[in-house]
Amino acid sequence: MGRRVDQRRGGSPIDIRLLIVGGVLVLGAIVLGIVLLFGGGGETNSVGTRMPDEGANHVPQTQVPTYRSVPATSGPHWSLGDGIAPLFWKVYTSPVPEPAAVHNLEHGGIVIWYQSTATPEDIQKLTQFVQQQLGTSQFKIILSPWDGKDFGHPIAVTAWDWLLYLDSADIDQIRAFQNAHPASDAPEPFGGPAQGAG
């Protein structure tokens, strides 16, 4: 009987080491889970790319700011009222000024820009989508041609601090982007033109 106890005691350092290694692995898995849940894992699950916040200063119309992202997702912008800046929520057939559109982003809007490389079919799909959205609770949306620096894709979708490039009018992706970046995420979500204004 004494031998069994001795053998058990002789084998216990191995058992303790296994318990320690197992405990460290379990603890590591718990820490990793907490980090992914509450820390850095959120942005990889978001639709689009998070861009640096460039502030929300109002500047005069005589000033045309430069932005780090193309198109802009935040930064200095015009504040003129009367649908000039921020713009009315709608479909535009002529390019709108970028500093005016940034004001719409500040108020929780989505701006869809398309370059000359977008097909007529894609422009029609985007137009229909935006016109439908204007009649819903997600009416804070603008569609505009883009006349700035080429961003390498036919379509860009912007929200405050977020950017999504598209090679075609993927309405499911645009809707997912809109849902992932609601107006409440913007600095002034309750501002901007009223639904149906303009």
Side-chain angles (χ1 to χ4, degrees), residues 54 63-69 72 74-76 98-99:
E54 298 185 54
Q63 184 178 339
V64 180
T66 56
Y67 301 101
R68 284 189 258 174
S69 67
S74 65
E98 190 177 22

Side-chain angles (χ1 to χ4, degrees), residues 22-131:
V24 167
L25 290 175
V26 169
L27 184 60
I30 291 170
V31 169
L32 179 63
I34 290 170
V35 167
L36 290 176
L37 188 61
F38 297 107
E43 291 187 10
T44 59
N45 296 327
S46 294
V47 181
T49 302
R50 187 170 187 97
M51 306 306 290
D53 192 304
E54 298 185 54
N57 294 334
H58 291 172
V59 296
Q61 190 177 6
T62 55
Q63 184 178 339
V64 180
T66 56
Y67 301 101
R68 284 189 258 174
S69 67
V70 180
T73 59
S74 65
H77 53 272
W78 299 342
S79 181
L80 304 169
D82 295 328
I84 300 169
L87 300 157
F88 291 124
W89 310 108
K90 65 181 198 174
V91 172
Y92 292 85
T93 54
S94 296
V96 301
E98 190 177 22
V102 172
H103 198 154
N104 289 79
L105 299 181
E106 181 187 34
H107 291 309
I110 301 291
V111 180
I112 304 171
W113 303 94
Y114 61 89
Q115 301 203 93
S116 59
T117 54
T119 66
E121 293 79 17
D122 280 341
I123 295 168
Q124 183 60 33
K125 282 173 72 174
L126 294 171
T127 299
Q128 289 174 348
F129 171 73
V130 171
Q131 287 173 337

